[in-house]
Amino acid sequence: MARPHYSSRLEDWFNAGVQAILRRRGWRERIIPHVGYGNQDFVRVLARVVLSRDPRNQPRYDEDHAMRGWKVFVTAPATGVRVTVTVAGETFEAITDRGGFVDLSVPVSLEPGWHEISLGMDGDQQARGRVHVVDPAATFGLVSDIDDTVMLTMLPRPMIAAYNTFVRDEQARRVVPGMAEMYRELLADHPGAPIFYLSTGAWNTAPTLTRFLARHGYPAGPMLLTDWGPTNTGWFRSGREHKRTALRRLAAEFPAVRWVLVGDDGQHDPMLYGDFAQTHPDHVRAIGIRQLTPAEQVLSHGLPVPNPDPGAHDPQRPTAATVQGPDGHALVAQLRAVLARPEAS
């Protein structure tokens, strides 16, 4: 087995030192649950354990509790901690990874819909999370990007991204017009259909994003985020590979679902979604791309540069029907027209 990249070893050394200092000062583990999901065969539990001065002071997910963006990043992961997960009366165990994360799939069978689970340590229940079990009869689903698709963050241009992420109050972030209404309408047309929010954003921002989505009327659904920073292979993990992997996993876990993939044209969503539609044609119904304004394009991404990572995308191969528009109001009618067409046999 190859030795981990020295950047990840450096991060592990730093985290171990911080944890030792904080534990000596009386800090203890605190569980932050994230929304999980499942089907008739399994439930995927997502959570993170961090060190806190007061572990009873659980993070709030209600829409009235806003904070400066930088505060969600000032956390100390608790690594190698044993966490118990109770789902439908059955208890399972997991060990937090080098980032303090729990990502556990457990073999339980639940009815479709929302369910509550419990997470604890040392025999003490400390947090309650939620999981959404997708209806096995569902054949339609939504996957949505977050940054510049449902809310304006001007990512990934470094200085503007840093200001929007670390400095501004979370309630100052702007919503993209019509996107929440579009998602609600499309899901109402397909009762029982799931929605997933797939982003290259960090898991630290999950509570902030949860409040933002709820405040602006977006349908509730699991978020599939990533862990910024060093990995076992380099200084930074690939956001594009994170999205590719997540899409492939959803296709495997929900083989009957044909997805509508929604993103924006500011990063790599058109190519990533087109790539996935070409390699998994039976799993994509349509692609919706929000068009950034010229000002948003320049502020977020600067001048256009050649894409160094085309993946498997072949511009000559057919892909799923793709529609484009500046917001949800422009996209919803086009997507509905595509979805109304009979599918090719």
Side-chain angles (χ1 to χ4, degrees):
M1 183 176 178
R3 191 180 187 191
H5 191 270
Y6 72 90
S7 60
S8 64
R9 302 199 304 272
L10 178 63
E11 184 186 45
D12 291 344
W13 171 83
F14 175 80
N15 285 337
V18 170
Q19 289 180 64
I21 293 171
L22 294 180
R23 290 182 193 277
R24 285 198 297 269
R25 295 185 177 183
W27 288 43
R28 293 295 178 264
E29 294 84 358
R30 183 183 74 186
I31 301 175
I32 302 175
H34 300 307
V35 176
Y37 67 90
N39 61 20
Q40 65 272 28
D41 299 318
F42 78 94
V43 165
R44 185 181 182 187
V45 178
L46 301 167
R48 193 183 189 207
V49 181
V50 300
L51 293 178
S52 171
R53 182 179 286 109
D54 181 3
R56 295 169 299 176
N57 183 22
Q58 290 297 308
R60 292 171 58 190
Y61 287 75
D62 59 275
E63 62 183 71
D64 297 324
H65 183 65
M67 62 182 68
R68 293 289 177 183
W70 64 268
K71 292 184 178 181
V72 302
F73 286 90
V74 184
T75 58
T79 62
V81 175
R82 188 178 302 276
V83 177
T84 58
V85 178
T86 303
V87 184
E90 298 187 58
T91 299
F92 307 87
E93 288 191 345
I95 304 293
T96 59
D97 66 12
R98 54 186 300 273
F101 293 96
V102 171
D103 185 348
L104 177 67
S105 292
V106 297
V108 296
S109 181
L110 297 175
E111 292 294 317
W114 288 94
H115 299 268
E116 191 174 82
I117 64 172
S118 299
L119 301 98
M121 294 173 293
D122 300 322
D124 179 35
Q125 177 184 300
Q126 194 188 77
R128 291 187 178 275
R130 294 195 306 158
V131 295
H132 181 243
V133 177
V134 177
D135 191 329
T139 58
F140 173 89
L142 288 170
V143 173
S144 172
D145 180 43
I146 296 178
D147 299 319
D148 293 330
T149 299
V150 303
M151 73 176 183
L152 298 176
T153 55
M154 304 300 186
L155 288 172
R157 189 76 177 273
M159 295 302 294
I160 298 172
Y163 176 76
N164 282 318
T165 301
F166 296 106
V167 179
R168 295 185 72 183
D169 187 291
E170 65 182 61
Q171 291 193 2
R173 299 184 181 188
R174 294 164 50 202
V175 67
V176 176
M179 297 301 287
E181 294 91 331
M182 181 180 81
Y183 292 164
R184 292 198 303 267
E185 289 181 26
L186 293 178
L187 293 179
D189 291 341
H190 302 84
I195 182 170
F196 288 82
Y197 296 95
L198 173 60
S199 172
T200 57
W203 275 113
N204 305 58
T205 64
T208 298
L209 294 175
T210 299
R211 289 188 293 268
F212 179 92
L213 295 174
R215 185 162 58 245
H216 293 285
Y218 282 94
M223 284 185 287
L224 303 176
L225 307 180
T226 188
D227 179 22
W228 286 2
T231 70
N232 285 335
T233 57
W235 281 102
F236 300 102
R237 67 187 64 245
S238 168
R240 279 170 282 182
E241 187 56 36
H242 161 67
K243 285 192 171 182
R244 291 188 186 113
T245 300
L247 289 171
R248 289 194 294 264
R249 179 165 183 167
L250 289 177
E253 292 171 335
F254 305 104
V257 174
R258 298 199 68 189
W259 301 93
V260 170
L261 310 177
V262 185
D264 64 84
D265 63 1
Q267 290 183 287
H268 306 279
D269 290 340
M271 187 164 291
L272 280 170
Y273 289 167
D275 173 13
F276 182 72
Q278 289 178 346
T279 57
H280 298 75
D282 294 334
H283 296 281
V284 181
R285 187 71 177 87
I287 297 172
I289 298 297
R290 184 203 163 230
Q291 298 167 309
L292 274 63
T293 66
E296 289 171 343
Q297 287 279 5
V298 173
L299 287 173
S300 298
H301 311 287
L303 297 176
V305 296
N307 179 25
D309 180 21
H313 186 73
D314 180 354
Q316 304 303 317
R317 285 180 62 188
T319 187
T322 300
V323 302
Q324 301 184 62
D327 54 33
H329 300 304
L331 287 171
V332 63
Q334 298 181 71
L335 282 174
R336 278 187 151 169
V338 171
L339 296 174
R341 300 173 193 165
E343 297 190 50
S345 57

